[in-house]
Amino acid sequence: MNIAQWLLDRKLLTTAQVADAHALHQAEGLRLDQAILQLGLLTELRLLELMAEHLDWPMVKLEDLTIPPETLRALPAKIVYRKRLLPIALTGGILRVATSDAFDLYALDDLRLSTGFVIEPVLAPREEIEKLIKSHYGLGGDTLDEMVGAGDAGAGAAAEGSEDLLEMAKEASVIQLVNEIIIEAVSERASDIHIEPYEHQMSIRYRIDGVLQEASVPMQMHRFQAAIISRIKILANLNIAERRIPQDGRIKFQVGGRQVDVRVSVIPMLFGEGVVMRLLDKANVLFTLPQLGMDEATFALFEGLIARPHGILLVTGPTGAGKTTTLYAALNAIVGPGLKVLTVEDPVEYHLQGVNQIPVNHQVGMTFEKGLRAILRHDPDVVMIGEIRDLETARAATQAAMTGHLVLSTLHTNDAASAPMRLMEMGVEPFLVSSTMIGAMAQRLVRRICAKCQERYVPEPGTLPRDLRLDPGEQLVRGTGCQRCRNTGYRGRTGLYELMVMNEAIAERILERAPSPRIVAAAREGGLRLLREDGWLKVRAGFTTPDEVVLCTAL
């Protein structure tokens, strides 16, 4: 059929738009429907709806379907991957197949001849089909089939490549397989990729929203384990011949026009080498302060603290609590032509425009303490220290605060009130802590309820923590699980915050070396809201669930 004329007749495209599509069709050899999509004249979903109406084919929501194993076995995996055809139902001799290409009728005829089934096509978006193919048939299954067929476990493992990953993914062998693993991690918003060797299998897990989730991996992936790890080591400029000691490296990728830095750690294990890749995606990590999830009162107090001319502001919490992200957001909020901002970090994870960033290098003796003392001679207004780890760094930070600098840093403590105690345990005098610290903020990250599958419910009596008090009949929100959130009920994260602003009562307790509970009591009188209390506010507001708050806070 003449799709252009049909869309013109229905007044869905103009003559000029059709001419543009024809020009692209002739210039790049694209089909006309593909040219229309590439130019953005219609969305894929809208075009599929029109095709469904014209051809009288059903449109299906794949996320609502449960596909039986015998249906999945009805088509060879090679055909599923190559043609992007997904079997979704098998009734008698009729096989229902989802496709995103209504024009590829030859593929449907080939299916009918090769399987002997009557093929009933239905339409669904390509992204949904590909997601289910990866879920049911395994990540990189088509590449592995080609490699198994070629009997080649190492072809391409030593090849270099710096072009965009989306272009590299068109190539074969191990290069393509590694690219697919990383592209999938980026598309799933993973922060880490864990590749773990076992005796008879290789496990790939993605850390998504702070929780490790198994990637569906074909069994034959295990055969190419050494080649995959060698490829990663080559990309990270590591020694592929050295398998006895840990190695660390870094990779830079372009994924769909986005710059992604990957920190690679390789360690020897019983059945091979284990790899963890930390994905540093600037587009997904550099937040503004309003995006962090603080309530209005905490946000106003925090803004006031970072506007101070001098003093120490600490952000505390365990590893992975988002402390560095909060500091970056604070620096982004205050950086400008009127301020000189310097940082000392280990390592510098993200470049901040307008901020002078200095990496720590322990091999040459460039420590936090040395870096801090050096940058104070550069006339800064604001100094950010990646972490206060020892007495020397702590003393240098307090001296910087006393000489008129605003110092931002992180500390590993469980709550805000423990921050001054931790500095004193390091050896900083109480009078220095009480006179230089302007505030401490403890934080945690909790998973947000998926917006697509959320539902309201009235919790059963006795199923909630004792300190979560609800009004009679009050409803909470939970996620039921869908394809978008990988059936977890959560997508994305938000922060819980406990901000302690220094006042006279807290300063007196510090001078007395009072224990943490007495500092908490003084802070509570000044309006401190605990992490758990902030969590319950977010539960009642429908952002997260009681389980998430309980998991990361203590009574």
Side-chain angles (χ1 to χ4, degrees):
M1 73 183 199
N2 188 331
I3 183 174
Q5 189 59 49
W6 183 64
L7 293 171
L8 273 173
D9 293 343
R10 300 199 58 173
K11 294 184 171 50
L12 294 167
L13 293 183
T14 65
T15 305
Q17 289 173 326
V18 169
D20 290 342
H22 271 295
L24 186 61
H25 156 66
Q26 292 172 349
E28 299 189 12
L30 295 175
R31 273 191 346 225
L32 205 53
D33 61 308
Q34 294 169 340
I36 289 168
L37 290 177
Q38 187 163 314
L39 289 170
L41 304 178
L42 290 174
T43 65
E44 183 196 24
L45 185 59
R46 180 60 177 144
L47 187 58
L48 286 174
E49 289 171 347
L50 293 168
M51 291 296 98
E53 178 187 335
H54 185 75
L55 299 172
D56 197 25
W57 288 5
M59 279 278 292
V60 295
K61 283 191 174 182
L62 295 180
E63 63 188 29
D64 299 334
L65 297 179
T66 301
I67 306 175
E70 59 270 17
T71 300
L72 295 169
R73 290 193 293 268
L75 287 187
K78 190 177 293 186
I79 294 176
V80 171
Y81 281 111
R82 186 178 301 137
K83 297 296 185 181
R84 294 298 187 261
L85 297 170
L86 179 67
I88 60 173
L90 178 59
T91 307
I94 300 174
L95 180 64
R96 178 173 270 210
V97 176
T99 180
S100 62
D101 191 350
F103 295 93
D104 193 1
L105 301 178
Y106 291 112
L108 299 175
D109 286 341
D110 287 345
L111 276 191
R112 179 175 55 81
L113 293 172
S114 61
T115 64
F117 295 124
V118 175
I119 303 301
E120 182 180 299
V122 298
L123 294 173
R126 182 183 178 89
E127 185 179 345
E128 290 186 16
I129 291 173
E130 289 185 342
K131 202 162 199 175
L132 281 183
I133 288 174
K134 288 173 185 172
S135 173
H136 291 298
Y137 291 91
L139 178 66
D142 50 346
T143 307
L144 285 168
D145 280 344
E146 291 176 13
M147 291 163 67
V148 170
D152 181 11
E160 294 273 49
S162 59
E163 65 267 29
D164 190 289
L165 266 179
L166 295 178
E167 291 297 321
M168 291 172 68
K170 297 175 184 176
E171 300 178 11
S173 139
V174 175
I175 296 176
Q176 179 174 340
L177 196 54
V178 172
N179 295 340
E180 287 182 23
I181 291 169
I182 296 173
I183 290 171
E184 177 72 2
V186 172
S187 67
E188 292 290 339
R189 305 171 301 105
S191 61
D192 302 85
I193 305 170
H194 292 242
I195 300 177
E196 300 159 330
Y198 296 100
E199 186 174 8
H200 300 298
Q201 70 177 73
M202 186 176 80
S203 167
I204 296 180
R205 295 190 290 172
Y206 297 139
R207 189 175 294 281
I208 302 171
D209 295 332
V211 178
L212 281 173
Q213 298 183 29
E214 285 274 1
S216 179
V217 175
M219 285 300 296
Q220 61 263 40
M221 182 85 79
H222 177 67
R223 292 177 53 183
F224 305 97
Q225 172 184 308
I228 291 168
I229 292 171
S230 294
R231 171 62 183 167
I232 293 169
K233 289 168 75 173
I234 287 168
L235 287 171
N237 292 316
L238 302 179
N239 183 357
I240 62 171
E242 180 57 75
R243 299 185 179 91
R244 300 163 299 171
I245 61 173
Q247 297 187 70
D248 294 310
R250 198 158 189 160
I251 309 171
K252 285 191 177 182
F253 283 120
Q254 287 283 338
V255 181
R258 289 156 56 189
Q259 179 75 39
V260 178
D261 285 354
V262 183
R263 289 216 311 262
V264 179
S265 174
V266 182
I267 57 174
M269 293 184 174
L270 185 60
F271 297 106
E273 291 176 289
V275 179
V276 173
M277 294 187 278
R278 165 66 59 88
L279 305 181
L280 305 171
D281 185 355
K282 186 173 181 179
N284 287 338
V285 175
L286 291 182
F287 293 93
T288 61
L289 278 179
Q291 293 175 316
L292 296 179
M294 297 181 197
D295 66 280
E296 290 184 8
T298 303
F299 178 72
L301 287 172
F302 190 75
E303 267 197 320
L305 290 175
I306 62 175
R308 299 259 190 108
H310 53 80
I312 298 176
L313 174 60
L314 297 173
V315 180
T316 77
T319 301
K323 301 185 296 296
T324 303
T325 299
T326 298
L327 290 183
Y328 278 174
L331 291 180
N332 268 332
I334 61 179
V335 70
L339 287 177
K340 171 123 180 180
V341 181
L342 283 159
T343 75
V344 186
E345 303 172 60
D346 182 19
V348 175
E349 294 186 353
Y350 300 98
H351 172 64
L352 295 172
Q353 190 65 34
V355 176
N356 300 275
Q357 296 171 272
I358 300 167
V360 166
N361 189 340
H362 294 286
Q363 292 180 343
V364 296
M366 179 61 175
T367 62
F368 277 118
E369 187 263 340
K370 283 189 177 179
L372 181 54
R373 292 197 181 280
I375 65 177
L376 290 181
R377 294 191 287 271
H378 276 243
D379 187 30
D381 298 292
V382 180
V383 175
M384 192 267 269
I385 310 169
E387 183 184 344
I388 295 179
R389 297 176 178 173
D390 50 41
L391 176 58
E392 289 73 21
T393 308
R395 280 180 174 164
T398 55
Q399 289 298 323
M402 290 182 70
T403 53
H405 304 88
L406 176 64
V407 180
L408 309 178
S409 189
T410 69
L411 204 61
H412 284 285
T413 65
N414 286 329
D415 58 7
S418 298
M421 304 299 299
R422 181 78 184 99
L423 291 178
M424 288 188 286
E425 286 171 4
M426 288 181 182
V428 181
E429 294 297 328
F431 76 90
L432 283 176
V433 176
S434 63
S435 61
T436 57
M437 183 182 290
I438 58 174
M441 184 170 72
Q443 69 176 70
R444 300 289 190 277
L445 291 177
V446 292
R447 291 184 291 175
R448 291 184 71 118
I449 297 166
C450 176
K452 191 165 186 179
C453 64
Q454 66 178 10
E455 67 171 14
R456 292 197 162 272
Y457 73 105
V458 178
E460 293 288 332
T463 60
L464 297 177
R466 293 191 305 274
D467 54 329
L468 173 54
R469 296 179 178 85
L470 303 179
D471 298 329
E474 183 176 352
Q475 293 183 328
L476 298 181
V477 179
R478 63 187 172 193
T480 58
C482 64
Q483 184 181 333
R484 184 170 179 265
C485 64
R486 296 173 67 99
N487 293 311
T488 62
Y490 300 97
R491 184 177 172 86
R493 290 194 285 181
T494 190
L496 306 184
Y497 300 96
E498 176 182 299
L499 179 56
M500 181 183 78
V501 179
M502 185 66 70
N503 58 33
E504 288 185 13
I506 297 172
E508 287 175 7
R509 301 291 196 282
I510 293 172
L511 288 171
E512 297 168 2
R513 291 185 179 268
S516 180
R518 289 190 61 198
I519 295 177
V520 171
R524 296 281 277 173
E525 292 175 6
L528 174 71
R529 184 170 63 222
L530 301 179
L531 276 171
R532 198 167 171 102
E533 293 168 344
D534 190 43
W536 297 146
L537 288 177
K538 287 183 168 64
V539 166
R540 298 182 72 177
F543 291 121
T544 190
T545 61
D547 289 344
E548 282 293 296
V549 175
V550 169
L551 196 62
C552 70
T553 63
L555 280 170

